[in-house]
């Protein structure tokens, strides 16, 4: 192997599945002095965020903002609808489904887990069997991760709603849309989702630090019957504040809010339908490249069926130690950061080094994706990892709509 001259100088590209690339408009909006949090422009601006957030979630119901990451949004949602000793059902397809179940257990809630592994989506027939057997309706909610960021599996939320309805089970349908919202199509009201959670750092293109919970009237009625809800996690005053500070349970996350305003403007100027279509086209380009590389060599897409692949993140298998070697090479020599294979193996297992992920969410366009794919191909070549040729050309053909 010949010595490679690094061409990493210049702007780096963070192609991990969150935090995502932040638009210049978001960065500019956040670069300002601290504002007055008691009256004036900030108060008016925050009022404008709520309807625009609901437009992204495709709901006419309620939105609550938390100063948190996605884990905080998980806990907020659970704290409002499930009490210690109650049961939730969690069909898991990766680390984040299991993580939401663990969050429930930490709150004293029993989590009944259906683990479908790391490469296949939910088996809705198995979910239906469990719900049908729950004659006493002990299961208060079904926690469904729309896109598991670790495995890149995109699950069938409308199908899960259909199962609940066909079985006649009253459990709430709760959706983790942290990796999916503003990337993959999501229709909260149209799909019958009762509670949805997301975070600021992925499709919403804002730094980590804001969590969002959307809930409908059915979920609000469950909240009203809860024996106790944490003062901080209670979504009622956040969704219907009588004073400005109640939006956030205290001091507003001012600069994140300015960034969010700019990000929502970008999303709505583009149009959410186009946002979804752009993510789909770019994801298909990445898959086309990966399939070409995999024709001659060890690289393969983690999810074999395109119908269940996320449009926001792609998990790949390449065998140890090539996953870590490739990530290291493109970082040092190309200025490109790829995601680790989170949750695919334990960190102390040598197999952990056989995976990587590509984040393609939010502020991403065609030349960014083609450049990223070119960097991966350069790394495969430099490391002498066998791979098929013509991958970037295949991706370009998809982006061109041919």
């Amino acid at each position: 192997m010949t010595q490679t001259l690094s061409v990493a100088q210049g702007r780096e590209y963070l192609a991990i599945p969150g935090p995502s690339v932040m638009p210049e408009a978001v960065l500019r909006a956040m670069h300002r002095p601290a504002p007055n949090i008691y009256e004036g422009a900030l108060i008016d601006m925050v009022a404008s965020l709520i309807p625009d957030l609901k437009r992204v979630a495709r709901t006419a119901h309620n939105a609550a903002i938390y100063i948190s990451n996605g884990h905080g949004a998980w806990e907020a949602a659970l704290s409002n609808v499930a009490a210690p000793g109650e049961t939730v059902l969690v069909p898991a397809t990766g680390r984040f489904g299991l993580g939401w179940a663990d969050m429930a257990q930490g709150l004293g809630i029993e989590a009944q887990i259906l683990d479908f592994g790391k490469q296949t989506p939910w088996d809705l027939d198995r979910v239906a069997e469990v719900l049908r057997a729950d004659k006493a309706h002990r299961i208060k909610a079904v926690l469904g991760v729309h896109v598991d960021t670790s495995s890149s599996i995109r699950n069938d939320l409308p199908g899960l709603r259909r199962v609940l309805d066909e079985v006649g089970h009253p459990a709430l349908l709760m959706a983790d849309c942290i990796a999916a919202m503003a990337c993959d199509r999501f229709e909260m009201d149209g799909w019958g989702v009762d509670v949805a959670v997301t975070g600021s750092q992925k499709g919403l293109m804002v730094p980590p630090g804001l969590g969002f919970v959307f809930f409908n009237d059915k979920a609000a009625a469950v909240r009203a019957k809860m024996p106790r809800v944490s003062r901080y996690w209670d979504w009622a005053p956040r969704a219907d504040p009588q004073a400005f500070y109640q939006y956030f349970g205290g001091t507003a996350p001012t600069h994140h809010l300015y960034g969010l305003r700019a990000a929502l403007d970008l999303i709505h100027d583009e149009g959410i339908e186009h946002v979804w279509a752009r993510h789909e086209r770019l994801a298909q380009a990445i898959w086309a490249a990966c399939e070409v590389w995999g024709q001659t060599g060890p690289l393969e897409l983690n999810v074999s069926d395109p119908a269940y692949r996320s449009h926001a993140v792609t998990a790949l298998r390449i065998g140890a130690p090539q996953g870590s070697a490739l990530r290291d090479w493109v970082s040092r020599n190309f200025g490109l950061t790829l995601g680790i294979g989170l949750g695919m193996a334990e960190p102390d297992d040598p197999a952990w080094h056989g995976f990587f992920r590509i984040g393609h969410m939010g502020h991403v366009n065609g030349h960014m994706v083609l450049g990223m794919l070119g960097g991966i191909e350069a790394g495969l070549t430099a490391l002498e990892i066998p791979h098929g040729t013509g991958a970037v050309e295949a991706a370009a053909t998809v982006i061109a709509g041919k």
Side-chain angles (χ1 to χ4, degrees):
M1 194 183 311
T2 59
Q3 182 66 34
T4 301
L5 173 70
S6 173
V7 291
Q9 295 72 23
R11 176 171 293 183
E12 295 182 355
Y13 180 14
L14 188 68
I16 66 174
S20 64
V21 176
M22 283 182 287
E24 291 296 327
V26 170
L27 295 172
R28 288 194 301 269
M30 297 180 70
H31 189 71
R32 64 175 65 215
N36 185 348
I37 61 170
Y38 301 108
E39 59 185 3
L42 179 69
I43 284 77
D44 296 337
M45 187 266 287
V46 169
S48 76
L49 294 175
I50 305 305
D52 283 350
L53 281 167
K54 294 196 288 186
R55 285 173 64 192
V56 174
R58 307 285 268 200
T59 182
H61 295 286
N62 306 284
I65 304 174
Y66 294 86
I67 304 174
S68 75
N69 54 21
H71 288 70
W74 279 347
E75 182 160 326
L78 288 166
S79 296
N80 280 275
V81 298
E86 293 186 328
T87 301
V88 296
L89 177 65
V90 188
T93 56
R95 174 168 179 157
F96 289 92
L98 298 173
W100 205 2
D102 180 70
M103 182 68 75
Q105 291 166 342
L107 294 171
I109 300 163
E110 180 183 341
Q112 185 174 348
I113 299 170
L114 290 176
D115 191 346
F116 295 104
K118 302 168 184 173
Q119 290 190 274
T120 56
W122 300 325
D123 180 340
L124 293 177
D125 289 336
R126 281 185 59 194
V127 176
E129 289 174 8
V130 172
L131 291 170
R132 197 174 287 114
D134 182 31
K135 303 295 186 183
H137 295 163
R138 292 182 60 252
I139 296 170
K140 301 303 179 183
V142 181
L143 314 186
V145 176
H146 189 192
V147 166
D148 196 296
T149 324
S150 64
S151 63
S152 74
I153 293 171
R154 178 164 53 93
N155 285 299
D156 183 4
L157 281 174
L160 189 52
R161 174 77 268 167
R162 186 172 60 253
V163 165
L164 282 161
D165 291 346
E166 289 174 354
V167 172
H169 201 290
L172 295 172
L173 175 53
M174 301 174 67
D176 171 334
C177 301
I178 294 168
M181 193 168 288
C183 299
D184 283 285
R185 177 177 288 274
F186 174 71
E187 305 271 4
M188 180 171 172
D189 293 353
W191 292 357
V193 174
D194 300 304
V195 180
V197 304
T198 195
S200 57
Q201 71 272 24
K202 297 183 186 284
L204 293 177
M205 305 177 290
V206 177
L210 294 179
F212 307 95
V213 180
F214 304 89
F215 61 97
N216 65 12
D217 293 344
K218 179 181 177 182
V222 173
R223 153 66 188 83
K225 296 176 183 177
M226 285 282 288
R228 183 187 306 119
V229 177
S230 155
R231 287 284 189 269
Y232 187 78
W233 295 124
D234 190 355
W235 65 32
R238 293 171 184 266
D240 185 22
Q242 303 307 301
F244 179 70
Y245 79 91
Q246 291 179 309
Y247 274 119
F248 314 105
T251 303
T254 53
H255 289 66
H256 277 71
L257 296 171
Y258 285 116
L260 179 61
R261 178 65 273 165
L264 290 171
D265 289 343
L266 291 172
I267 290 170
H268 294 313
D269 285 348
E270 181 178 352
I272 193 65
E273 294 278 353
H274 192 276
V275 169
W276 292 333
R278 171 170 54 86
H279 279 83
E280 181 177 11
R281 178 68 62 86
L282 295 176
Q284 290 171 342
I286 291 167
W287 305 340
C290 292
E291 286 164 356
V292 171
W293 285 326
Q295 290 172 0
T296 309
L299 188 143
E300 62 176 330
L301 290 148
N302 185 55
V303 183
S304 59
D305 188 342
Y308 296 104
R309 294 178 192 158
S310 166
H311 296 154
V313 53
T314 295
L316 294 149
R317 296 168 173 261
I318 196 170
Q322 286 95 330
S324 292
L326 180 62
R327 288 191 304 102
D328 290 346
W329 191 94
V330 298
S331 176
R332 285 186 288 104
N333 296 290
F334 206 78
L336 170 66
T337 302
L338 301 172
I340 63 171
L342 185 65
M344 303 304 285
E346 293 302 316
D348 58 354
D349 183 342
W352 186 89
H353 298 285
F355 307 91
F356 69 97
R357 293 174 300 158
I358 300 169
H360 37 96
M361 52 178 62
H363 189 58
V364 181
N365 61 26
H367 79 76
M368 294 166 72
V369 164
L370 290 174
M372 177 267 297
L373 294 172
I376 293 174
E377 183 153 312
L380 294 170
T381 301
L383 297 170
E384 299 179 353
I385 300 173
H387 60 282
T389 59
V392 177
E393 181 180 355
T397 300
V398 172
I399 289 174
K402 301 295 185 182

